[in-house]
Amino acid sequence: MQPVVLITGGAGYVGSHACVALIESGYLPLVLDNFSNSSVESLRRVARITGVQPQLVEADVRDASALDSVFRSGPIHAVMHFAGLKAVGESTVQPLRYYAHNLAGTLALAKAMQRAGVRNLVFSSSATVYGEPGIEQLHEDLRCDPVNPYGRTKWMIEQMLADLAASEPGWRIARLRYFNPVGAHASGLIGEDPRGVPNNLMPYVSQVAVGRLDRLRVFGGDWPTPDGTGVRDYIHVMDLADGHVATLRHLLATPPQLLTLNLGTGRGTSVLEMIRAFERASGRAVPYDVVDRRPGDIAACWADATRAAHVLGWRTQRGIDDLCRDAWRWQQANPRGYGG
Ligand code: NAD
Ligand code: WQD
């Protein structure tokens, strides 16, 4: 029988790509999502790519009785927990909503797992937990000091999970710190579908290229970086999805442990380099204006990706040109996302 993995937030951007990678690796995803930032269409597309329709429970991850009935419905081998809110700016305006969905959501999930005796968990954390460390290459052992409510929810969850793992034998927990996930499945059938005007660089660039937005604003041309624009570690979402499968395999094959891993490429790319790569991939111009720095941004950061390589034997396979090509394929085929 194929092992079943509960995927909270599995209809979302990273979760839907993880569903594809899991199915292709012999796992059966069972998705729990409240569709607050996604649509059921992503799961239909997962079925078109893989030939397997993920089972779906429409529920809020904070709903203890919904979680209990999911765990009672049959054996669940592990949980991948993607459900949560992720907009940094919004988290400063609605912090309690972020603590409710992210922190209380994970608490409800961990308690339900404890009741059900399921102790294998892969958690979506973020490089945002590092805050403003003053260095560019970020290693997992750096002190975490997040600078916004979203980041604090992730760091609090990480600590809660560490306390849980220390308190009770048998937990296998991975805290995965993603850098900047971008791109789409190579089929162009699933991808990132932000609601409203995108906050992040890649979906904004894609929407300018496709003509849905006029011009990109480049936040700062005077950063202490080679071309003056911000530098980040952009990881292809399918590399990220593969990293989840590698993590799960590793957790299930080794003794109980708490694992903390960066998932990134280990390389930095500037905003201008990204614009040029996207122009090459799409054959379209991406007009932009350099404007003031965005509050809360840092100049440059990228992952120290050596621990994931050493522990999992996993490395990213795709580069900037691949991720621009795949993001463009998705954007061109779905100019309005899953909505049409
Ligand atoms: P997303 O918004 O596309 O996916 C999140 C999914 O969770 C959505 O389908 C949403 O409907 C669902 N959801 C939200 N609150 C829920 C709740 N209370 N109950 C049930 N479902 C709920 O986001 P994503 O980009 O796929 O991110 C997935 C995870 O990875 C998040 O936890 C996010 O914080 C983390 N992460 C994302 C990034 C990124 O840039 N995309 C970077 C680092 C970490
Ligand atoms: C990338 C670069 C911007 C938009 C965020 C979260 C982080 C994580 C990933 C969840 C920066 C510049 C952007 C634009 C621009 N998410 N930029 N014009 O800020 O590195 O990370 O997403 O965990 O927590 O903070 O990503 O894509 O917003 O920005 O010039 O319209 O692009 O200044 O240098 P960021 P981003």
Side-chain angles (χ1 to χ4, degrees):
M1 220 174 64
Q2 287 169 301
V4 176
V5 182
L6 174 62
I7 316 283
T8 75
Y13 173 45
V14 183
S16 56
H17 291 79
C19 283
V20 171
L22 282 163
I23 292 167
E24 288 176 347
S25 305
Y27 295 93
L28 269 187
L30 192 178
V31 170
L32 180 143
D33 204 301
N34 67 357
F35 298 112
S36 59
N37 197 37
S38 56
S39 95
V40 72
E41 180 59 21
S42 65
L43 298 176
R44 293 194 197 107
R45 305 277 185 97
V46 167
R48 273 174 68 189
I49 295 168
T50 62
V52 175
Q53 177 71 53
Q55 239 185 291
L56 171 66
V57 175
E58 184 169 350
D60 195 297
V61 74
R62 295 167 296 173
D63 181 342
S65 61
L67 288 170
D68 285 342
S69 59
V70 167
F71 284 111
R72 273 197 305 268
S73 65
I76 289 175
H77 285 73
V79 178
M80 284 191 185
H81 179 36
F82 297 97
L85 306 179
K86 62 165 179 178
V88 170
E90 187 182 64
S91 79
T92 63
V93 184
Q94 304 177 347
L96 298 185
R97 209 172 135 238
Y98 273 68
Y99 286 103
H101 284 266
N102 294 3
L103 188 55
T106 310
L107 175 61
L109 176 67
K111 286 165 84 173
M113 290 177 70
Q114 201 173 40
R115 287 193 291 277
V118 176
R119 294 198 183 84
N120 304 319
L121 173 64
V122 178
F123 169 62
S124 301
S125 189
S126 168
T128 200
V129 296
Y130 295 115
E132 297 170 353
I135 54 169
E136 294 171 333
Q137 176 163 291
L138 306 184
H139 185 270
E140 288 90 344
D141 292 338
L142 273 176
R143 207 173 74 85
C144 292
D145 190 10
V147 294
N148 55 64
Y150 165 70
R152 280 188 279 274
T153 67
K154 291 291 179 186
W155 178 225
M156 287 180 193
I157 294 166
E158 284 204 15
Q159 293 172 92
M160 179 173 81
L161 296 177
D163 288 338
L164 175 61
S167 71
E168 213 175 69
W171 283 91
R172 293 177 166 84
I173 298 178
R175 310 185 297 183
L176 301 184
R177 296 177 179 163
Y178 311 166
F179 278 69
N180 292 54
V182 292
H185 188 263
S187 62
L189 284 168
I190 57 173
E192 187 169 12
D193 183 18
R195 295 192 173 167
V197 177
N199 300 309
N200 299 114
L201 179 66
M202 191 63 159
Y204 206 108
V205 167
S206 313
Q207 292 191 17
V208 170
V210 84
R212 195 168 151 184
L213 292 169
D214 283 344
R215 300 174 78 77
L216 173 73
R217 287 176 308 151
V218 174
F219 296 135
D222 57 353
W223 292 102
T225 59
D227 66 18
T229 65
V231 169
R232 296 291 184 276
D233 185 338
Y234 297 96
I235 174 171
H236 193 296
V237 66
M238 283 313 298
D239 277 333
L240 186 64
D242 292 341
H244 282 70
V245 173
T247 301
L248 182 64
R249 283 206 174 116
H250 175 77
L251 275 187
L252 296 178
T254 49
Q257 62 178 308
L258 174 73
L259 192 59
T260 307
L261 295 176
N262 286 338
L263 293 186
T265 67
R267 288 181 301 278
T269 302
S270 76
V271 175
L272 291 183
E273 286 172 323
M274 191 59 119
I275 293 172
R276 290 193 193 107
F278 205 90
E279 288 181 332
R280 279 198 302 278
S282 64
R284 302 271 180 102
V286 177
Y288 64 87
D289 302 304
V290 178
V291 301
D292 286 347
R293 294 178 178 186
R294 182 172 64 177
D297 268 352
I298 57 174
C301 72
W302 55 86
D304 180 332
T306 51
R307 185 187 283 175
H310 178 72
V311 172
L312 305 177
W314 165 89
R315 307 187 156 66
T316 57
Q317 303 291 323
R318 300 158 179 93
I320 293 299
D321 291 321
D322 303 310
L323 56 85
C324 288
R325 183 200 60 221
D326 293 338
W328 177 240
R329 191 181 289 116
W330 153 254
Q331 187 69 60
Q332 221 183 1
N334 307 271
R336 306 241 146 234
Y338 293 114

